[in-house]
C-alpha cells in the first residue's frame, strides 16, 4: 500500500508541470519512430539459438494448465514475469514461447515512441543488479514509461517454473540441492536442477495482467482510471519537452519516493501472486511422518484428550498417549514424491489402456480459488478408480494433489502402503463412541487444514451401487467445519465434483451386492482380479467440477461466528446452528454434484432403451428418442453446469455397439437396437447417473400420458405434493417455493416439442395416438414409474400394517424384501429397484415432512389418514394392474412379518460377526 502522503506528492508534483509544458509541446515530425515491439541483433539471435539447443538436450519441460489467451494486438508489448533471475530460466521460457507460439522472450523489445529499449521480454522480480532497495530494474523502467505515455499498452504474464514438483521437507538435509523451494537459486543449484531434474521440469503461464490496470489499482484506491490517465498525460507532456534529459535504458530509472513506493507495491503484488501459485502447485512444506505424529500427540488438544481418556478408562496418561499414537500411525499419510512420480507414469499408461479419453469440464473454477482458499474436494463415489483419477487430473493440471480420506479397508498389504505414500490417509469405517480416536482424527484434519493442504473425501461414505447419489454422511463435513471454527489460515471452499463412467470395473460386483451377495473384502487377490480387465475398453470417463461452495457464505446464512470454538480443544460440540449448517452443506454438495452432471452417450442410451418395452426400439425411433432427449436438455438445461454430449444420435448408437452394451439386430422392416445380453442391470447404473436431469419431465409426461387429458392445475398440485420425495431421492436443486415457475417452463418445453397438446382453458392432452410424438411421450413417461412404484408399495405396506406396528428399520427391511420379490416376479430383475437406500430416503422424507411420527425410544412409526392421501396420487400415473400387483405384494400377515423380521435380524448379526 502506498502512503497517501506520497501519492499526493506524486500527483501535485506532476500537475505543477502543466503550466510550464502546455506551450512547449511540439507536433510530431515526419521522422517520428514507429513502434517495433520485437527486434533482435544477430549476436543475440545466435546466443538464443545455441543456448536453446544446449538446454533442450537436458531439459524436457511439461506445460501445466492452459496457455494464456492473448488478443491479437501488435501494439501491446508482452513481458514475462519470473521471481528469480537465472539464465537457465530465461532460456527455458524462450524455448516454451517458441514451442507454443507465444510472443518471444529472449529478444530485444524496442519502441522508440514510448522510450522502450529492453534487451529481453523477461522481468525478474529478484534481479542481482537491482538497486533502489532491491527494485526490479526492468519493472521500474516499464512503470515509468507507462506513467509517461497514456497510450502505451503492456501486458505482464507471470510464469512459474518448477524444477521438480516435490513439496519441501521441513527438516531436509539436502534442501539446497532438492527440488524447488523458497530460496533464490544458486548457480550450483541450477546446474543440479538441469542435470537431475531436467526431465521433471514444469512450466505454467498464468493469466495475463495489464500493467496500466495494476498501476491504477496500486496508485490510489480513491483514484479512478481517468485520474491515472490525467497523471499519465502530465508525464507524457514532460517527455515531449526537448529540454528534458534522456533516461539511459540500461540504468534504473530515477524515481521519486512515490515512484519507488508504487514500484515496490507492484513488485510485492506480483511476488505474492507467484508465491500463491507455487503453493497451489507444490503444496505446503511437509513434516517427516514421525515428526508429524509427535506434533499431533503433544498438541494441547490431544494432551487434553489423553488426560480425559486416562481418567475414564482408569489407565495412565502415558498409556493413553501410546494409544493415541497408535491411532495417529493408523491414519497419517506418508507422502513420497518418488511414489507420486511412479503413479504418474503408471496411471498415464493405465488410463490409455482402459479409456478412450478423460474429459475434464470446468476445471478453471478450481484454479480461480486455489491460491486463496483451503480446498476440499467432495466428489461423488462411483468406483475405486475415483480417487486415483481425480488426483491424476489435478496433478496433471498443475495443482497440488489432495490428501484423500480412505477407508481402512483399503489398507491392505502392497496396495495400502503405496496409497499411503501417494494420496491416502486412512480412517476407520466406524468409530462411534471412541472419543480418543475421534480427537486424533479431528486434530489431524485440523493440522492439514491449517497447513493449507488440499483434502478430498467422499461425503456419500461409500461407493454407490445403483448409480444414484447416496445420502451424505456428515462426519467429515462436521470435522471440517469444526476446524474452521477453531481457526484456520485460509477460508474453506468445497468443490463438488461429478465423476461419470461409460463402463465400470466393479459393475458385476455391484449387481451381485444389490441382489444380496456379501461385499467382497479388498485384498491383493481382488486387485489381481481387477488387473485382468486392463485389456478391455471402458469408453471415456468424465470429470466435471461444480460451482465452488464457500463455507463463509453458509456461516453468514446460519449466523455461525468465525473462531467461535477454542483452538486447543477437539471435544467442544458444535452449536445448534452449526449442526444445521453442516446438514445443509451436505445436501447442497449433493445437489451441486448433480448440477455438474455429464450426459454422456452411454447414460443417454441407457435412459432411452430401458424406458422401452423389452429394452428394444426400432433404430429410427431410437435415433428420434435420443435426439428428443438432447433437444429437451439443450432447450431448458437442468443447470448451466450440466454438460451434454455433442455426438449425434447415430454416433451414439454406434458408440454403444462398440462398447458391447447394445446390439443391432438386422430386420427386413428395419434394424432393431436392443440392450445386449445381461447388460440391462449394468445399464440401469448409467441411467441413474442422469435420471435427475429428466425426472420432472418424465413425471409430467406420465401424468398426461396415463390420463389422456388432465387439467394443468391438477397436474401442478400432484407434482408439488410428490416433489419433496423425488427431491430427497435424487437431490434435485429446485426450491419448493419456486417450483411452479419451473413446472410451467418444463410443460412449455414439452409443448414446444409436440409431446403435449395445449387444448386451451388450462387443459393438456396427449398427441394423436398414431403419431411418433405419442410414442416418444410414452417412452419419456417411463423413468419416473419405478420411483412411484416404490413409494406406493411402501405406503401400501404402512396402511396394511397400521399405525404404531412397525419401526423405521422394519419398514425399510420389509420394503427391501418386497422389492426383491416384485423385481423377480413382475419386472426385469433390475436390482436398483430394491436398493435399500432408496427406501430409507423415502421413509426419512415422510418423517421430515411429518407424514410419519417416529418414537425416539422405540423407533415405532405412527401416522394418520394423510398416508392414504399421498397413495391416492398413484392412480394418476400407475396402471390399475400395477397398483393391484403392488397391493398384493405388500399384503403380509402377522406370521409372514414375524418370520421376515427374524430372518433379517439373523442376517444382520452374521454380517456384523464377519466384520468383527
Amino acid at each position: 500500500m502506498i502512503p497517501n502522503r506520497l501519492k499526493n506528492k506524486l500527483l501535485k508534483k506532476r500537475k505543477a508541470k502543466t503550466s510550464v509544458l502546455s506551450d512547449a509541446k511540439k507536433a510530431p515530425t515526419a521522422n517520428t519512430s514507429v513502434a517495433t515491439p520485437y527486434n533482435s541483433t544477430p549476436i543475440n539471435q545466435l546466443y538464443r539459438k545455441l543456448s536453446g539447443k544446449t538446454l533442450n538436450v537436458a531439459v524436457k519441460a511439461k506445460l501445466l494448465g492452459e496457455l494464456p489467451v492473448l488478443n491479437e494486438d501488435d501494439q501491446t508489448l508482452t513481458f514475462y514475469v519470473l521471481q528469480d533471475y537465472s539464465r537457465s530460466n530465461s532460456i527455458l521460457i524462450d524455448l516454451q514461447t517458441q514451442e507454443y507460439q507465444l510472443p518471444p522472450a529472449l529478444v530485444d523489445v524496442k519502441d522508440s515512441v514510448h522510450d522502450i529499449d529492453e534487451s529481453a521480454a523477461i522481468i525478474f522480480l529478484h534481479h542481482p543488479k537491482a538497486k533502489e532497495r532491491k527494485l526490479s530494474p526492468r519493472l521500474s523502467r516499464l512503470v515509468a514509461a507507462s506513467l509517461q505515455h497514456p497510450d502505451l499498452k503492456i501486458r505482464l504474464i507471470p510464469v512459474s517454473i518448477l524444477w521438480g514438483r516435490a513439496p519441501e521437507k521441513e527438516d531436509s538435509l539436502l534442501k539446497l540441492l532438492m527440488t524447488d523451494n523458497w530460496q533464490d537459486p544458486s548457480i550450483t543449484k541450477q546446474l543440479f536442477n538441469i542435470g537431475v531434474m531436467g526431465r521433471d521440469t514444469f512450466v505454467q503461464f498464468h493469466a495475463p495482467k495489464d500493467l496500466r490496470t495494476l498501476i491504477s489499482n496500486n496508485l490510489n484506491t480513491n483514484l479512478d482510471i481517468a485520474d491515472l490517465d490525467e497523471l499519465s498525460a502530465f508525464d507524457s507532456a514532460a517527455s515531449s519537452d526537448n529540454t528534458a534529459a534522456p533516461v539511459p535504458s540500461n540504468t534504473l530509472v530515477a524515481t521519486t519516493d512515490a515512484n519507488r513506493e508504487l514500484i515496490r507495491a507492484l513488485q510485492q503484488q506480483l511476488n505474492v501472486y507467484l508465491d500463491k501459485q507455487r503453493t497451489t502447485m507444490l503444496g505446503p512444506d511437509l513434516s517427516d511422518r514421525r515428526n508429524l505424529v509427535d506434533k499431533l500427540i503433544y498438541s494441547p488438544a490431544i494432551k487434553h484428550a489423553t488426560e480425559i481418556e486416562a481418567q475414564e478408562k482408569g489407565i495412565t496418561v502415558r498409556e493413553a498417549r501410546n494409544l493415541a499414537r497408535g491411532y495417529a500411525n493408523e491414519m497419517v499419510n506418508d507422502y513420497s514424491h518418488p511414489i507420486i512420480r511412479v503413479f504418474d507414469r503408471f496411471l498415464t499408461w493405465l488410463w490409455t489402456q482402459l479409456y478412450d479419453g478423460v474429459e475434464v469440464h470446468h476445471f478453471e473454477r478450481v484454479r480461480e480459488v486455489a491460491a486463496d482458499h483451503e480446498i476440499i474436494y467432495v466428489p461423488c463415489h462411483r468406483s475405486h478408480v475415483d480417487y486415483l483419477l481425480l488426483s491424476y487430473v489435478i496433478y496433471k493440471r498443475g495443482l497440488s494433489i489432495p490428501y484423500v480420506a480412505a477407508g481402512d479397508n483399503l489398507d491392505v498389504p502392497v496396495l495400502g502402503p503405496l496409497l499411503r505414500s501417494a494420496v491416502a490417509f486412512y480412517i476407520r469405517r466406524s468409530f462411534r463412541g471412541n472419543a480418543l480416536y475421534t480427537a486424533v482424527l479431528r486434530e489431524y484434519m485440523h493440522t492439514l487444514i491449517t497447513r493449507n493442504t488440499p483434502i478430498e473425501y467422499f461425503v456419500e461414505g461409500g461407493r454407490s451401487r445403483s448409480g444414484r447419489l447416496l445420502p451424505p454422511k456428515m462426519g467429515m463435513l462436521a470435522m471440517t467445519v469444526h476446524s474452521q471454527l477453531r481457526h484456520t489460515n485460509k477460508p474453506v471452499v468445497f468443490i463438488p465434483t461429478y465423476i461419470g463412467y461409460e463402463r465400470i470395473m466393479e459393475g458385476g460386483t455391484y449387481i451381485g451386492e444389490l441382489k444380496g451377495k456379501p461385499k467382497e473384502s479388498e485384498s491383493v487377490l481382488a486387485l489381481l482380479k481387477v488387473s485382468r480387465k486392463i485389456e478391455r475398453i471402458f469408453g471415456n470417463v468424465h470429470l466435471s467440477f461444480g460451482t465452488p461452495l464457500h463455507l463463509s457464505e453458509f456461516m453468514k446464512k446460519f449466523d455461525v461466528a468465525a473462531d467461535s470454538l477454542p483452538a486447543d480443544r477437539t471435544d467442544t460440540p458444535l452449536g445448534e446452528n452449526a449442526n444445521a449448517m453442516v446438514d445443509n452443506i451436505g445436501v447442497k454438495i449433493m445437489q451441486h454434484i448433480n448440477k455438474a452432471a455429464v450426459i454422456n452417450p452411454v447414460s443417454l442410451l441407457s435412459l432411452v432403451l430401458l424406458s422401452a418395452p423389452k429394452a428394444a426400439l426400432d433404430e429410427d425411433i431410437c435415433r428420434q428418442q435420443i435426439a428428443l432427449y438432447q433437444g429437451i436438455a439443450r432447450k431448458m438445461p437442468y443447470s448451466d453446469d450440466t454438460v451434454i454430449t455433442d455426438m449425434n444420435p447415430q454416433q451414439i448408437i454406434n458408440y454403444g455397439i462398440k462398447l458391447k452394451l447394445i446390439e443391432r439386430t438386422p430386420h427386413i422392416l428395419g434394424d432393431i437396437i436392443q440392450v445386449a445380453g445381461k447388460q440391462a442391470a449394468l445399464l440401469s447404473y448409467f441411467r441413474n447417473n442422469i435420471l435427475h436431469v429428466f425426472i420432472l419431465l418424465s413425471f409430467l409426461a406420465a401424468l398426461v400420458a396415463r390420463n389422456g387429458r388432465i387439467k394443468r392445475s391438477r397436474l401442478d398440485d400432484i407434482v408439488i405434493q410428490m416433489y419433496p420425495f423425488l427431491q430427497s431421492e435424487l437431490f434435485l436443486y429446485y426450491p419448493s417455493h419456486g417450483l411452479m415457475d419451473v413446472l410451467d417452463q418444463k410443460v412449455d418445453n414439452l409443448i414446444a416439442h409436440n409431446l403435449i397438446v395445449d387444448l386451451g382453458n388450462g387443459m393438456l392432452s396427449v398427441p394423436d395416438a398414431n403419431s411418433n410424438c405419442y410414442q416418444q411421450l410414452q417412452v419419456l413417461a417411463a423413468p419416473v414409474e419405478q420411483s412411484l412404484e416404490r413409494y406406493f408399495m411402501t405406503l401400501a405396506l404402512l396402511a396394511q400394517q397400521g399405525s404404531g406396528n412397525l419401526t423405521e428399520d422394519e419398514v425399510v427391511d420389509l420394503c427391501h424384501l418386497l422389492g426383491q420379490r416384485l423385481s423377480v416376479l413382475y419386472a426385469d430383475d433390475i436390482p436398483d429397484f430394491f436398493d435399500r437406500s432408496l427406501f430409507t430416503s423415502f421413509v426419512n422424507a415422510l418423517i421430515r415432512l411429518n407424514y410419519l411420527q417416529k418414537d425416539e425410544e422405540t423407533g415405532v412409526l405412527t401416522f394418520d389418514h394423510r398416508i392414504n392421501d399421498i397413495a391416492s396420487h398413484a392412480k394418476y400415473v400407475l396402471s390399475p394392474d400395477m397398483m393391484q400387483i403392488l397391493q398384493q405384494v405388500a399384503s403380509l400377515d402377522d406370521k409372514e412379518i414375524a418370520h421376515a423380521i427374524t430372518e433379517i435380524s439373523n442376517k444382520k448379526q452374521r454380517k456384523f460377526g464377519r466384520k468383527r
Side-chain angles (χ1 to χ4, degrees), residues 130 164 242 261 311 317 405 458 567 580 727:
N242 288 337
E261 289 300 326
Q311 292 175 1
V317 172
F458 301 98
Q727 183 184 35

Side-chain angles (χ1 to χ4, degrees), residues 426-705:
Y426 293 110
I427 59 176
R428 296 181 179 181
R429 305 288 291 179
S430 176
F431 47 89
R432 185 184 299 275
N434 191 335
L436 184 58
Y437 184 93
T438 303
V440 173
L441 179 55
R442 281 185 176 176
E443 187 64 15
Y444 182 51
M445 282 284 291
H446 184 61
T447 300
L448 294 178
I449 291 173
T450 53
R451 291 166 62 88
N452 307 131
T453 304
I455 298 172
E456 173 192 335
Y457 51 74
F458 301 98
V459 291
E460 295 170 277
R463 291 167 293 156
S464 170
R465 268 63 175 176
S466 68
R468 293 175 173 86
L469 294 181
L470 301 175
K473 310 286 186 181
M474 304 304 179
M476 296 298 288
L477 284 175
M479 289 187 185
T480 304
V481 170
H482 197 279
S483 175
Q484 179 79 29
L485 298 185
R486 287 174 63 187
H487 177 70
T488 56
N489 297 324
K490 291 183 178 180
V492 168
V493 62
F494 298 99
I495 308 292
T497 307
Y498 175 91
I499 303 177
Y501 298 92
E502 294 175 350
R503 293 201 67 164
I504 195 166
M505 284 188 178
E506 301 98 328
T509 303
Y510 287 172
I511 294 169
E513 290 177 16
L514 284 172
K515 290 185 175 182
K517 291 183 180 179
K519 178 180 177 295
E520 293 184 9
S521 300
E522 282 72 14
S523 64
V524 176
L525 181 61
L527 182 65
L528 293 175
K529 287 181 179 179
V530 170
S531 68
R532 286 163 33 187
K533 301 181 180 181
I534 288 180
E535 294 298 325
R536 302 181 188 178
I537 299 298
F538 286 78
N540 288 296
V541 60
H542 307 264
L543 275 77
S544 182
F545 294 86
T547 303
L549 299 174
H550 294 265
L551 179 55
S552 58
E553 295 178 2
F554 287 94
M555 292 170 64
K556 290 178 183 177
K557 176 182 176 181
F558 285 87
D559 193 23
V560 176
D563 301 334
S564 55
L565 297 180
D568 59 348
R569 292 288 183 272
T570 62
D571 55 353
T572 309
L574 295 176
E576 183 178 348
N577 284 9
N579 279 318
M581 178 180 72
V582 170
D583 292 340
N584 187 249
I585 293 172
V587 172
K588 291 298 182 184
I589 286 173
M590 309 312 286
Q591 290 177 352
H592 277 71
I593 289 174
N594 268 347
K595 288 172 72 174
V598 177
I599 304 175
N600 65 51
V602 171
S603 60
L604 202 51
L605 266 177
S606 303
L607 185 64
V608 168
L609 288 176
L610 293 180
S611 300
K614 306 297 183 179
L617 284 172
D618 175 87
E619 185 164 358
D620 287 340
I621 295 176
C622 186
R623 281 196 298 268
Q624 293 172 12
Q625 197 73 30
I626 292 171
L628 172 68
Y629 279 115
Q630 288 178 305
I632 288 174
R634 287 177 180 141
K635 184 175 179 63
M636 185 183 174
Y638 179 75
S639 164
D640 292 339
D641 294 348
T642 307
V643 179
I644 306 169
T645 178
D646 56 3
M647 285 187 183
N648 63 46
Q650 189 60 58
Q651 290 173 327
I652 290 174
I653 291 172
N654 294 340
Y655 189 67
I657 294 172
K658 172 189 170 184
L659 295 181
K660 299 181 179 180
L661 295 171
I662 63 173
E663 55 192 17
R664 178 185 286 114
T665 302
H667 194 276
I668 193 170
L669 297 179
D671 292 351
I672 295 172
I673 301 299
Q674 61 185 5
V675 174
K678 299 183 179 180
Q679 295 295 324
L682 181 61
L683 287 182
S684 71
Y685 185 96
F686 302 112
R687 174 200 60 192
N688 293 339
N689 289 174
I690 63 166
L691 187 59
H692 63 281
V693 174
F694 298 97
I695 196 68
L696 282 184
L697 288 165
S698 178
F699 197 2
L700 294 169
L703 286 169
V704 177

Side-chain angles (χ1 to χ4, degrees), residues 123-315:
I123 298 172
F124 294 106
L125 300 179
H126 304 151
H127 198 285
K129 295 182 180 180
K131 301 175 182 178
E132 296 286 347
R133 302 178 187 176
K134 296 186 178 181
L135 297 182
S136 168
R138 184 160 290 142
L139 179 63
S140 301
R141 293 193 291 271
L142 295 178
V143 169
S146 295
L147 290 173
Q148 291 169 359
H149 302 283
D151 61 331
L152 176 59
K153 299 178 181 179
I154 296 177
R155 72 166 66 94
L156 305 181
I157 300 181
V159 183
S160 296
I161 300 178
L162 301 179
W163 298 87
R165 285 183 66 182
E168 274 303 311
K169 294 285 187 179
E170 290 181 343
D171 304 315
S172 174
L173 297 177
L174 298 177
K175 189 169 186 177
L176 292 177
L177 292 179
M178 292 300 290
T179 55
D180 270 285
N181 56 40
W182 307 106
Q183 301 178 1
D184 294 340
S186 63
I187 294 178
T188 303
K189 183 183 174 184
Q190 282 296 305
L191 292 174
F192 175 84
N193 284 339
I194 292 172
V196 178
M197 297 295 177
R199 302 287 170 162
D200 195 29
T201 301
F202 301 85
V203 177
Q204 182 167 0
F205 294 90
H206 303 293
K209 298 180 181 295
D210 178 64
L211 179 57
R212 181 166 296 275
T213 302
L214 292 176
I215 292 173
S216 175
N217 293 338
N218 280 276
L219 185 62
N220 193 331
T221 54
N222 298 320
L223 293 178
D224 58 23
I225 194 67
D227 297 319
L228 179 61
D229 289 338
E230 180 185 355
L231 185 149
S232 301
F234 298 136
D235 283 326
S236 180
S239 66
S240 65
D241 185 3
N242 288 337
T243 63
V247 179
S249 63
N250 60 345
T251 62
L252 185 63
V253 174
T255 58
T256 64
D257 288 344
N259 286 107
R260 283 194 294 271
E261 289 300 326
L262 172 60
I263 297 164
R264 195 186 316 283
L266 286 171
Q267 187 163 317
Q268 175 67 12
Q269 181 180 349
L270 291 169
N271 258 317
V272 170
Y273 176 81
L274 285 170
D275 279 345
K276 287 182 177 179
Q277 296 304 319
R278 176 174 289 199
T279 301
T280 65
M281 299 160 73
L282 293 178
D285 286 354
L286 300 177
S287 272
D288 176 81
R289 184 171 186 268
R290 177 178 56 82
N291 291 337
L292 180 56
V293 170
D294 285 341
K295 290 177 183 178
L296 278 176
I297 300 309
Y298 289 100
S299 66
I302 300 304
K303 281 185 178 180
H304 175 73
T306 52
E307 290 171 359
I308 292 178
E309 181 79 3
Q311 292 175 1
E312 293 182 350
K313 298 294 178 61
I315 57 178

